[in-house]
Structure formats: C-alpha cells, structure tokens
Amino acid sequence: MAASPILAYDVGGSFVKAGLVNVAEGRLAGEVLRRATPADAAPEAVMDLLADMARELPSGGPVGLAFPAVAKRGVAWTAANIDKRWIGTDARALLEARIGRPVAFLNDADAAGVAEMTLGAGRGRDGTVMVLTLGTGIGTAIFVDGRLLPNTELGHLEVRGMEAEHRASAKVRADRGLDWPEWAAAVNEVLAAYHALLWPDVFVVGGGVTENWEHFGPLLKSRAEIVPAHFRNDAGMIGAAMAAAALAEHRSAS
C-alpha cells in the first residue's frame, strides 16, 4: 500500500508554503498553499499560520518544517530574515504542541539540499556538492560524498565588504531593479568566493528565481559545474517531508 503524503512547510522571510508531499516520488500531492509571512515573523504569529495551514491540508503522521535559521535539536539559533525572538526558541516543540504530531525541524537550505541530493540534481553525485537557494537571502547546503554538513549559513560570508546575501540574493535583484546580466555578475562574485574557500565540484542553484533560469543561468560562471535545482522552489518542502519520513522510520524502528 502506498505511503500517505506528508505535510511539509517551508518558512521564508517573505512567504510560507505548505503542501502534502509524496516522498517516494519526490513530488507535491495536490495544492500548495502560499501565504505571506506575518509582518514581524514572530514565533506566535508564524505558529498561528502553520496551525491554520495544517487544518487546510488534512493529513496524519510526522510533519516536516524547513526554516530559515540554524536548527539544532529542534531549536532555532539564528534569525537573519525573521524576528530575533526566534533565537533560542524550541520551534519543534511549539509546532508539536499546536498540531499534536511529531515534527522534523531543519534549516531550509539543508532541506532543499536533501531533496536535490536524494532525488534531484545532486542525485548520485560524489565529491563536494554545494546547494544554493537564492531567495530573500542566500541559503547554502554542503554535501561531501552525499553526507550533509548542516547549518553552514554561508549566505552571511563577507564578499568585498558585504554579506553575500546582501549582494546577490533574489530579493536584492528585485529591490535594486537589477537586470539579469547585472545580477548574474553579482552572483558570480559570490560563487567565486565560495569556490576559493571550498572547491565544490558542483553548484546546484535553486530558489524561486530559477523559474527564470534561461535568463541568468547561462550567465553564471565558475570552475565548478553549475546546474539548476531539479525541484526549483519546491525543494524545501520536499526535503522537509523526507526528513519527516526519516523521523517516522526511526520512531517505528525504536
């Protein structure tokens, strides 16, 4: 019998998405809800929204939560594009209390990376793979021979006196009205900085902006191979669902 779809969230600085994921096939099963992130992105307001979305997408079992923060044992430890009150907050416990179900809580870029490495553009690739999510900020996930180094947060790496995500995120492109060549040049500077430090074999580039890959993808340059994310802007949700499925397997085995 086919496994039931898993509810997964991807919380961003601008939008919160939720959907039911068929983990085995790596695809969304039905409607994806997309809601504006509450104005202050404070814990209580975000949890209210997540609980409301769960009611709109009835399901059972563990839930996946991809979140824009360093995530350790259910607790958020950074808050670059969300309210600072998240720092030190046990997000996993808050959501479990709201919906009465187990929650797998992980960094949003790590979640996107899990999806891409499991069934997407990084599948079967050895060596060092760096997954980038270009959105409100820049998320990074690094895999070495398929193993994740979690919570790398290299969107905050300084590149010529400015944080990488303040130089080359998708939000920066929109806010500054950059054309595709101008923005691609900024992204290339960030790729060069990452490559100089980490020497990845492949950059997997994701985020909602990849819907326009034909406009900027051919302009990206690196000594590493550059490929678009297979799951595009759904990667965070799919990876969060995969983490929830792994949590369910662990619980059933223990």
Side-chain angles (χ1 to χ4, degrees):
M1 188 172 70
S4 299
I6 289 176
L7 173 63
Y9 301 98
D10 186 359
V11 176
S14 302
F15 292 95
V16 176
K17 296 183 299 178
L20 299 178
V21 179
N22 181 317
V23 170
E25 298 179 12
R27 63 174 178 82
L28 275 296
E31 178 187 13
V32 173
L33 303 182
R34 190 171 186 261
R35 304 282 188 266
T37 304
D40 58 358
E44 191 68 21
V46 172
M47 286 298 156
D48 285 344
L49 178 58
L50 298 184
D52 288 344
M53 295 171 95
R55 285 189 285 271
E56 291 186 59
L57 294 168
S59 62
V63 169
L65 175 57
F67 201 78
V70 167
K72 285 181 171 286
R73 298 179 178 86
V75 178
W77 288 110
T78 59
N81 294 303
I82 52 175
D83 192 281
K84 302 303 182 189
R85 284 172 284 182
W86 279 104
I87 298 172
T89 294
D90 192 330
R92 179 172 62 194
L94 282 181
L95 186 55
E96 286 180 344
R98 283 296 188 93
I99 64 176
R101 294 156 64 182
V103 172
F105 177 66
L106 68 165
N107 173 268
D108 55 353
D110 287 348
V114 167
E116 292 298 332
M117 294 300 293
T118 305
L119 291 175
R123 183 178 186 177
R125 289 182 181 265
D126 294 326
T128 301
V129 179
M130 190 168 184
V131 179
L132 306 179
T133 57
L134 305 177
T136 304
I138 295 178
T140 61
I142 297 174
F143 295 80
V144 179
D145 293 334
R147 296 188 64 181
L148 171 66
L149 173 66
N151 295 310
T152 47
E153 292 289 287
L154 290 171
H156 306 301
L157 180 74
E158 186 176 305
V159 178
R160 281 202 305 113
M162 185 183 296
E163 282 192 15
E165 68 177 31
H166 296 161
R167 180 175 293 283
S169 70
K171 185 176 187 295
V172 163
R173 186 193 72 82
D175 288 350
R176 297 182 186 167
L178 301 178
D179 63 23
W180 293 113
E182 289 172 325
W183 183 64
V187 175
N188 283 337
E189 284 192 294
V190 171
L191 296 181
Y194 290 158
H195 193 276
L197 290 174
L198 299 163
W199 283 76
D201 299 288
V202 184
F203 285 113
V204 177
V205 180
V209 72
T210 51
E211 294 172 3
N212 296 289
W213 182 258
E214 69 277 11
H215 296 299
F216 75 92
L219 303 175
L220 299 182
K221 307 295 180 188
S222 175
R223 294 179 70 172
E225 182 182 358
I226 302 172
V227 297
H230 174 75
F231 294 114
R232 305 294 172 105
N233 209 25
D234 292 332
M237 278 186 296
I238 292 170
M242 289 174 173
L247 175 63
E249 289 178 10
H250 175 74
R251 289 186 167 218
S252 64
S254 60

